Amino acid sequence: MSKVLIVGAGGVGRVVVHKCAQRKDIFSAITLASRTKSKCDEIAAEIKDVTVKTVQVDADNVPALVALIQQEQPQLLINVALPYQDLTIMDACLETGVDYLDTANYEPHETAKFEYSWQWAYHDRFKEQGVMALLGSGFDPGVTNVFTALAAKKYLDVIEELDIIDANAGNHGQPFATNFNPEINIREITATCRHWENGQWVESAPLTTKRVFDFPEGIGPMNIYRLYHEEMESLVKHIPTIKKAQFWMTFSDNYLKHLEVLQNVGMTRIDEVEFQGQKIVPIQFLKALLPDPASLGPLTKGKTCIGVIARGTKDGQRKQVYIYNICDHEACYQETNSQAISYTTGVPAVVGGIMMVTGQWHAPGVWNMEQFDPEVFLAELGPMGLPHRVVEGEWPEL
Amino acid sequence: MSKVLIVGAGGVGRVVVHKCAQRKDIFSAITLASRTKSKCDEIAAEIKDVTVKTVQVDADNVPALVALIQQEQPQLLINVALPYQDLTIMDACLETGVDYLDTANYEPHETAKFEYSWQWAYHDRFKEQGVMALLGSGFDPGVTNVFTALAAKKYLDVIEELDIIDANAGNHGQPFATNFNPEINIREITATCRHWENGQWVESAPLTTKRVFDFPEGIGPMNIYRLYHEEMESLVKHIPTIKKAQFWMTFSDNYLKHLEVLQNVGMTRIDEVEFQGQKIVPIQFLKALLPDPASLGPLTKGKTCIGVIARGTKDGQRKQVYIYNICDHEACYQETNSQAISYTTGVPAVVGGIMMVTGQWHAPGVWNMEQFDPEVFLAELGPMGLPHRVVEGEWPEL
């Protein structure tokens, strides 16, 4: 029985609290902290049979985090705050000797740079202190790493090509809105695309490589666009047989039209602009104008489908395997007051936490998901709400 | 020989200064005033053989304007500042007994309301003081009013229908930019459409009525959209035989796409939004991000075509007449360092000023352009750079 401290009270934080509260067998006490305590209180009020303690904290402030951890004495800290805050929270965990888990890699404010270098640099210090950090325990990164590890363990002897494919086949009925923090979302999508090919990263302009993929179980064909996505960096490092890795995401024509215009006029800029004597970052002002992603929850219908196609050899034969999850927005909302985008990130965070506190996945140091046994993780993930399917077959090269 | 005081140092102000300087026979001295004196100095430096005096003034401040007028002692003040400032400048002219001319009607900041009521309310006071105000002496309003008056004077006994059609067939090569102050431009375009029909204003949603019009002299067919435009208000008042009046403007699909997205995300809002403890008007922030219209001058190629089709009867027969001007962006820039959008507004302001200071158009009170003899105005307008053509023929109903 473990105490857990959750930092971050956005859509993902809400799912993490709901799901931890469902596992009283594992989590004996839950504390939820955020810059805005009222957001914590709102989530805590939704939990009926467990008391969730709420606290205000500034996650940019290491001494404040340290004081909070010392006060709450958790076994595990689940970080679902902003990616800018990963390092301060890791610093506080190191100082207090508390295990750490997050769902998205650190990125500095000034550049939209997605890489593990900053967090991997903590490995020796975590190891020396006997503390564990599990990085990227959401869906993508997270479950996609686990699916890849499963393909490597059970279905293929050698993985040579990997396509990670993320479809949101849902619809919120708004002219334009992002399904999670618009600042984080747009930074990612408008960054230069990179994919892995023959031992190096190959760059291409954002959103210029487009394919059609026929998604399973009635979702059907949708446009997918190649993006850089952070799990590729750890996967090609830890599974070095991978010669080619690409990440794909669906976007509607309407979404891309809005994004193109907002880029054209400069509203997606992440640098400061002088305006009436103040410095304003355009994408932050845009975020203030767009609908709060939380407000989309009750409006969103349809499904997500996220998975990996791993291609390689088994017993000397070419073989392909597609491992995926399908998740329904309305069912997620009914269970946790959040749609599937938050749900598919929050549930794997809780399952990663269960792996850590039960010792099924545990080692001092900083780790990515594919470095542990995928089968014990997936054995918890399905019952927790995200079952997966494995299909062997053939898919066109993307 | 008259002294002129020009208030406003944007693109139109630049054209007015250049054109007044060309008419040393009329204007003995030119003073240019603006909130930002450096903008005045930049324009003054372009004028080679006439000295243009430059002064800083806050056009929202009546006492400051009065002091400036008393110091400069002009015969005429040409107001090419922002439409929000028309009333303060009129107040200062009334107080000092100096004639007033502008190119766009007053509008309050809070609502995009285009109507002459505020300025017409000054008529009796101007009349009593023996001072003249000429409203809307740009191209549209302005020359379009004069073209309509010419149709009424020379070509038709009765005007029954009027279509005012404004084409910008030029291209600046930017993904999105407005040809004049983006705030003023977008306020106008996104306002509810009104047209005159059978003695009343008929409202329709913005940009929903679309036609194709085949423009003359090689410009060819372009999409035109119905808008409200202020000259219709004075024209249907002063020429009461007009049963139907509509205003049309060309917009490219690309321009409308950008506008649609900016509206969807709230960037065209004219109300204040709370952001990081400050109050920000989104359209003003958008203006700060978009290219300065002045920067488009050297990039803009192609022509404008603005005119009126008046339909009615002559000697008991149905008759139509199309009166228009075609203006070339690059030729305007070569002459005045401004493209045709500013040129077609600034030149008629100077010609209106010439009408007033020479006494060809002069009467105490507040007046619109169609209330004076169109032929003397047009006799100056052509040699000053904006010749017109009159074509009798038939055009499809719009």
Side-chain angles (χ1 to χ4, degrees):
Chain A
M1 293 289 284
S2 302
K3 291 174 74 175
V4 62
L5 169 60
I6 300 158
V7 181
V12 178
R14 167 172 272 117
V15 173
V16 170
V17 171
H18 275 267
K19 285 295 184 177
C20 285
Q22 288 176 11
R23 295 303 298 268
K24 280 178 287 199
D25 56 318
I26 305 278
F27 299 107
S28 56
I30 301 168
T31 302
L32 176 61
S34 149
R35 189 183 302 272
T36 311
K37 185 166 175 291
S38 59
K39 290 168 74 178
C40 301
D41 294 337
E42 199 188 293
I43 294 170
E46 296 173 5
I47 309 298
K48 295 302 165 210
D49 56 344
V50 173
T51 302
V52 175
K53 183 173 173 186
T54 62
V55 194
Q56 196 279 336
V57 75
D58 173 3
D60 292 320
N61 183 332
V62 178
L65 288 164
V66 167
L68 172 63
I69 294 170
Q70 285 170 340
Q71 174 193 295
E72 298 302 315
Q73 299 279 329
Q75 275 70 60
L76 172 69
L77 185 153
I78 295 182
N79 167 19
V80 285
L82 293 176
Y84 315 125
Q85 300 166 323
D86 288 356
L87 300 190
T88 49
I89 300 175
M90 287 178 82
D91 285 333
C93 283
L94 251 187
E95 191 171 333
T96 52
V98 167
D99 286 346
Y100 168 92
L101 175 153
D102 70 28
T103 65
N105 69 201
Y106 170 73
E107 50 178 298
H109 256 290
E110 319 73 60
T111 57
K113 215 171 168 180
F114 304 95
E115 54 179 71
Y116 282 113
S117 58
W118 291 279
Q119 292 183 276
W120 282 342
Y122 280 72
H123 179 70
D124 292 344
R125 278 175 286 160
F126 269 73
K127 203 171 164 184
E128 281 158 24
Q129 297 286 322
V131 185
M132 175 172 177
L134 182 62
L135 305 185
S137 187
F139 207 103
D140 45 338
V143 178
T144 52
N145 306 51
V146 173
F147 286 167
T148 306
L150 181 71
K153 180 179 179 185
K154 275 189 68 172
Y155 299 97
L156 297 172
D157 296 328
V158 179
I159 300 183
E160 287 168 345
E161 293 109 37
L162 185 68
D163 287 295
I164 306 170
I165 311 172
D166 178 336
N168 181 4
N171 185 3
H172 49 53
Q174 306 303 295
F176 183 71
T178 59
N179 288 303
F180 60 100
N181 187 323
E183 182 182 351
I184 307 296
N185 184 225
I186 292 174
R187 278 168 75 106
E188 176 176 271
I189 293 167
T190 58
T192 296
C193 175
R194 280 182 293 159
H195 73 277
W196 184 257
E197 197 161 349
N198 295 323
Q200 61 186 355
W201 295 109
V202 180
E203 293 200 345
S204 51
L207 301 174
T208 49
T209 307
K210 173 183 171 182
R211 302 283 184 268
V212 175
F213 185 74
D214 191 2
F215 287 92
E217 301 185 33
I219 293 176
M222 293 181 77
N223 291 330
I224 56 174
Y225 295 83
R226 193 169 60 190
L227 295 187
Y228 180 72
H229 220 247
E230 62 196 68
E231 63 262 54
M232 289 190 289
E233 185 185 13
S234 71
L235 285 168
V236 301
K237 181 181 175 194
H238 297 128
I239 307 178
T241 58
I242 295 174
K243 284 192 224 148
K244 186 170 183 182
Q246 300 178 104
F247 182 94
W248 305 89
M249 194 176 271
T250 59
F251 297 104
S252 71
D253 291 347
N254 181 60
Y255 185 93
L256 294 176
K257 176 175 85 173
H258 281 71
L259 196 66
E260 178 203 344
V261 166
L262 294 170
Q263 284 192 280
N264 281 346
V265 303
M267 277 307 293
T268 60
R269 287 169 58 179
I270 63 175
D271 59 323
E272 288 179 333
V273 169
E274 278 281 329
F275 179 68
Q276 296 178 349
Q278 295 141 18
K279 290 195 196 306
I280 289 181
V281 176
I283 199 171
Q284 292 177 358
F285 184 64
L286 176 62
K287 178 186 170 195
L289 289 180
L290 291 179
D292 178 356
S295 71
L296 305 175
L299 307 172
T300 308
K301 298 184 195 314
K303 296 176 197 295
T304 61
C305 176
I306 319 176
V308 306
I309 296 177
R311 309 175 213 247
T313 55
K314 175 77 175 176
D315 303 326
Q317 301 287 311
R318 284 285 296 173
K319 186 177 166 186
Q320 303 184 20
V321 60
Y322 180 27
I323 310 175
Y324 64 86
N325 162 263
I326 287 183
C327 190
D328 183 83
H329 286 292
E330 290 173 284
C332 294
Y333 190 77
Q334 209 159 18
E335 183 191 338
T336 62
N337 292 338
S338 291
Q339 30 72 325
I341 309 294
S342 298
Y343 191 92
T344 54
T345 305
V347 171
V350 175
V351 173
I354 293 173
M355 293 295 106
M356 291 167 76
V357 300
T358 58
Q360 294 177 83
W361 285 9
H362 204 278
V366 174
W367 307 97
N368 294 90
M369 305 286 285
E370 65 274 17
Q371 296 181 276
F372 295 97
D373 176 18
E375 291 184 279
V376 292
F377 183 96
L378 293 171
E380 280 286 358
L381 188 69
M384 285 289 278
L386 294 175
H388 68 282
R389 289 212 173 80
V390 181
V391 184
E392 300 180 38
E394 281 195 28
W395 289 267
E397 193 183 332
L398 294 176
Chain B
M1 294 288 284
S2 301
K3 292 174 73 173
V4 62
L5 170 60
I6 300 157
V7 180
V12 178
R14 168 171 271 116
V15 173
V16 170
V17 171
H18 275 266
K19 285 296 185 176
C20 284
Q22 289 175 12
R23 295 303 298 268
K24 281 178 286 200
D25 58 316
I26 304 277
F27 298 108
S28 56
I30 301 168
T31 300
L32 175 62
S34 149
R35 188 183 304 270
T36 312
K37 185 167 174 292
S38 59
K39 291 168 74 177
C40 301
D41 293 338
E42 198 188 295
I43 293 170
E46 297 172 4
I47 310 298
K48 295 303 165 209
D49 57 343
V50 172
T51 303
V52 175
K53 182 172 173 185
T54 62
V55 193
Q56 196 279 336
V57 75
D58 173 3
D60 292 320
N61 182 332
V62 177
L65 288 164
V66 167
L68 172 65
I69 295 170
Q70 284 169 341
Q71 173 192 297
E72 297 302 315
Q73 299 278 331
Q75 274 71 61
L76 172 69
L77 185 151
I78 295 182
N79 166 20
V80 284
L82 293 176
Y84 315 125
Q85 299 166 323
D86 288 357
L87 300 190
T88 49
I89 300 176
M90 288 178 82
D91 285 333
C93 284
L94 251 188
E95 191 171 332
T96 53
V98 168
D99 287 345
Y100 168 93
L101 175 153
D102 69 30
T103 66
N105 69 200
Y106 170 73
E107 50 179 298
H109 257 290
E110 319 72 61
T111 57
K113 215 170 169 181
F114 304 95
E115 54 179 72
Y116 282 113
S117 57
W118 292 279
Q119 292 182 277
W120 282 342
Y122 280 72
H123 180 71
D124 290 346
R125 278 175 286 160
F126 269 75
K127 201 170 168 186
E128 281 158 25
Q129 296 286 323
V131 185
M132 174 172 179
L134 183 61
L135 304 185
S137 186
F139 207 104
D140 45 337
V143 178
T144 51
N145 305 52
V146 173
F147 286 167
T148 306
L150 181 71
K153 181 182 177 184
K154 274 190 67 173
Y155 299 97
L156 298 172
D157 296 329
V158 179
I159 300 183
E160 288 168 344
E161 293 110 37
L162 185 68
D163 287 294
I164 307 170
I165 312 174
D166 178 335
N168 181 4
N171 186 3
H172 48 53
Q174 307 303 296
F176 183 71
T178 59
N179 288 303
F180 61 100
N181 186 323
E183 181 181 352
I184 307 296
N185 183 225
I186 292 175
R187 279 167 74 105
E188 176 177 273
I189 293 167
T190 56
T192 296
C193 175
R194 280 182 292 159
H195 73 276
W196 185 256
E197 196 161 351
N198 295 323
Q200 61 186 355
W201 296 109
V202 180
E203 293 199 346
S204 50
L207 301 173
T208 48
T209 308
K210 173 184 173 181
R211 302 282 184 268
V212 174
F213 186 73
D214 192 2
F215 288 92
E217 299 184 35
I219 294 176
M222 294 181 76
N223 291 331
I224 56 174
Y225 295 83
R226 193 169 61 190
L227 295 186
Y228 180 71
H229 219 245
E230 61 196 69
E231 63 263 54
M232 290 190 288
E233 185 185 14
S234 71
L235 284 168
V236 302
K237 180 181 175 193
H238 297 129
I239 307 178
T241 59
I242 295 174
K243 283 192 228 151
K244 185 170 184 181
Q246 300 178 105
F247 182 93
W248 305 89
M249 194 175 272
T250 59
F251 297 105
S252 70
D253 290 348
N254 182 59
Y255 185 94
L256 294 176
K257 176 176 83 174
H258 281 71
L259 196 66
E260 178 203 342
V261 166
L262 293 170
Q263 285 191 282
N264 280 346
V265 302
M267 277 307 293
T268 59
R269 286 169 58 180
I270 64 175
D271 59 324
E272 289 178 334
V273 169
E274 278 282 328
F275 179 67
Q276 295 178 348
Q278 294 141 18
K279 289 193 197 306
I280 288 182
V281 177
I283 200 171
Q284 292 176 359
F285 184 63
L286 176 62
K287 178 186 168 194
L289 289 181
L290 291 179
D292 178 357
S295 72
L296 305 176
L299 306 173
T300 308
K301 298 181 194 317
K303 297 175 195 296
T304 61
C305 176
I306 319 177
V308 305
I309 296 177
R311 310 175 210 248
T313 54
K314 175 77 175 176
D315 303 325
Q317 301 286 311
R318 282 288 294 175
K319 187 176 165 186
Q320 303 184 21
V321 60
Y322 181 27
I323 310 175
Y324 63 87
N325 163 263
I326 287 183
C327 190
D328 182 84
H329 286 292
E330 290 174 282
C332 294
Y333 190 77
Q334 208 159 20
E335 184 191 337
T336 62
N337 292 338
S338 292
Q339 29 74 325
I341 308 294
S342 298
Y343 191 92
T344 53
T345 307
V347 171
V350 175
V351 173
I354 293 173
M355 293 296 106
M356 290 167 77
V357 299
T358 58
Q360 293 177 84
W361 285 11
H362 205 279
V366 174
W367 307 98
N368 294 89
M369 305 286 285
E370 66 275 16
Q371 296 181 276
F372 295 98
D373 177 17
E375 290 185 279
V376 293
F377 183 95
L378 293 171
E380 280 284 359
L381 187 69
M384 285 288 279
L386 295 174
H388 68 282
R389 289 213 173 78
V390 181
V391 184
E392 299 180 39
E394 280 196 28
W395 289 267
E397 193 184 333
L398 294 177

